[in-house]
Amino acid sequence: MQLTEAERHAIASQVTQSLEEDLSAADPTLDITAQLIPAHHVSQATIITREDMVACGTAWVDEVFRQVDADVAIEWCVTDGDKVQANTTLCRLSGNSRSLLTGERCALNFLQTLSATATQTAFYVSKLEGFSTRLLDTRKTIPGLRMAQKYAVRCGGGTNHRIGLFDAYLIKENHIAACGGIVAAVETARELNPGKPVEVEVESLAEFEQALNAGADIVMLDNFTIGDIETAVAQNKAAGSPLKLEVSGNITDEALQALGATGVDFISSGALTKHVTAIDLSMRIGQPRTN
């Protein structure tokens, strides 16, 4: 899976911040527990998964050990996006024993969290097999890990929604009220940024019709019933399908197939990034030896 330039740029700062949580600002090499091991000892280690998963986060692990000790060597047995069975070795590491232990938790934190997002996404995507509907993420990400989790969603087979507040319009209830209505909001958006996609979130079929007539690009049907979603799809088709339709609001894995069957273009779910459970990983280190 290819990282975007923005994602590559984010990795170093995310890792730096994570390491700063573990290490002293006065002495960033000070890991008092690792100092129990003689400085000249070297070790080999493996990282394994204790459960089935979709791998994600290899570049973050690489960056952790690059910042801790660039001489640590990592041999990956998987690539991001791979479906991996429990008890599989993900990578092998070799280098200074202190360095391996200093970087262990930070590396595992990234790998377990991003693999969790990729795994959750892949599970949801599997529920939509056979439908043309694409699964989207949201901005409901772990603070500081927006770019990382967006990448993990793609590794799981999902599609990224807007990255932030700058790259696309998402006109919601409060925007509509402040602008004086859906039509006024859409017209102003077109005037201010003609090239940006304009999406409107609606909460009723009456609002959907307003967004349809206003010329939005995408309409998000928020917490619609299946029946109302089918009505909106039919109205959009009758108008020549000028809109892309997105469904959101309390999306569960049990509901995905029924939603996909309505013919909507997208389903967006915050659960991909905020309801994840970290993958159970373990780093096992071998007997240290003198370098």
Side-chain angles (χ1 to χ4, degrees), residues 137-153:
D137 54 23
T138 70
R139 289 170 46 243
K140 297 174 183 177
T141 52
I142 297 172
L145 290 182
R146 171 73 53 81
M147 303 308 295
Q149 286 194 291
K150 290 281 187 178
Y151 170 71
V153 165

Side-chain angles (χ1 to χ4, degrees), residues 163-187:
I163 301 301
L165 299 174
F166 59 90
D167 54 331
Y169 285 100
L170 181 47
I171 301 169
K172 299 188 176 187
E173 178 184 9
N174 288 333
H175 301 105
I176 293 167
C179 290
I182 290 174
V183 172
V186 172
E187 287 178 350

Side-chain angles (χ1 to χ4, degrees), residues 12 22 26 29 47 50 57 62 88 98 122 129-130 138 201 253 287:
D22 261 341
T29 66
I47 295 177
R50 299 184 184 278
D62 290 344
T88 296
R98 289 185 177 182
E129 187 174 351
T138 70
E201 180 183 275
D253 58 287
Q287 186 66 35

Side-chain angles (χ1 to χ4, degrees), residues 5-290:
E5 189 60 34
E7 289 162 350
R8 289 186 181 280
H9 179 74
I11 292 173
S13 61
Q14 288 167 349
V15 168
T16 297
Q17 182 178 11
S18 182
L19 287 171
E20 286 174 349
E21 293 173 342
D22 261 341
L23 300 170
S24 166
D27 182 359
T29 66
L30 184 58
D31 174 351
I32 61 174
T33 312
Q35 285 185 337
L36 298 173
I37 303 167
H40 58 282
H41 278 194
V42 296
S43 297
Q44 293 183 334
T46 57
I47 295 177
I48 67 166
T49 176
R50 299 184 184 278
E51 58 185 303
D52 295 351
M53 58 175 266
V54 174
C56 183
T58 58
W60 282 262
V61 175
D62 290 344
E63 180 64 17
V64 166
F65 287 104
R66 188 195 69 77
Q67 291 192 25
V68 170
D69 180 351
D71 289 331
V72 170
I74 304 177
E75 176 191 357
W76 284 99
C77 305
V78 300
T79 59
D80 287 351
D82 285 354
K83 293 183 178 179
V84 181
Q85 293 184 333
N87 301 313
T88 296
T89 296
L90 305 179
C91 68
R92 298 182 178 88
L93 307 94
S94 59
N96 181 271
S97 302
R98 289 185 177 182
S99 299
L100 291 174
L101 293 170
T102 295
E104 174 185 3
R105 176 41 54 199
C106 182
L108 291 180
N109 283 349
F110 281 111
L111 195 59
Q112 70 186 19
T113 302
L114 299 185
S115 294
T117 296
T119 302
Q120 177 85 338
T121 302
F123 175 64
Y124 272 36
V125 167
S126 71
K127 297 291 185 179
L128 291 171
E129 187 174 351
F131 301 114
S132 60
T133 305
R134 287 187 287 167
L135 182 67
L136 302 179
D137 54 23
T138 70
R139 289 170 46 243
K140 297 174 183 177
T141 52
I142 297 172
L145 290 182
R146 171 73 53 81
M147 303 308 295
Q149 286 194 291
K150 290 281 187 178
Y151 170 71
V153 165
R154 298 202 309 278
C155 287
T159 300
N160 293 152
H161 207 293
R162 60 177 182 162
I163 301 301
L165 299 174
F166 59 90
D167 54 331
Y169 285 100
L170 181 47
I171 301 169
K172 299 188 176 187
E173 178 184 9
N174 288 333
H175 301 105
I176 293 167
C179 290
I182 290 174
V183 172
V186 172
E187 287 178 350
T188 303
R190 297 292 191 201
E191 292 171 5
L192 292 174
N193 291 287
K196 299 290 187 183
V198 178
E199 180 169 1
V200 179
E201 180 183 275
V202 300
E203 298 178 346
S204 68
L205 285 171
E207 288 186 346
F208 169 74
E209 290 179 13
Q210 292 177 47
L212 177 64
N213 294 328
D217 298 308
I218 307 171
V219 171
M220 178 188 291
L221 310 174
D222 186 44
N223 285 304
F224 272 42
T225 65
I226 293 292
D228 283 350
I229 293 171
E230 291 173 339
T231 298
V233 170
Q235 290 179 347
N236 188 45
K237 286 183 178 178
S241 299
L243 300 172
K244 296 291 186 181
L245 298 183
E246 175 183 337
V247 173
S248 71
N250 297 314
I251 303 300
T252 63
D253 58 287
E254 294 89 352
L256 285 169
Q257 290 187 331
L259 292 172
T262 65
V264 294
D265 300 284
F266 307 111
I267 298 172
S268 57
S269 173
L272 305 181
T273 50
K274 71 184 182 76
H275 290 170
V276 296
T277 301
I279 300 297
D280 187 6
L281 305 178
S282 176
M283 189 174 97
R284 297 174 177 173
I285 191 165
Q287 186 66 35
R289 67 180 189 276
T290 301

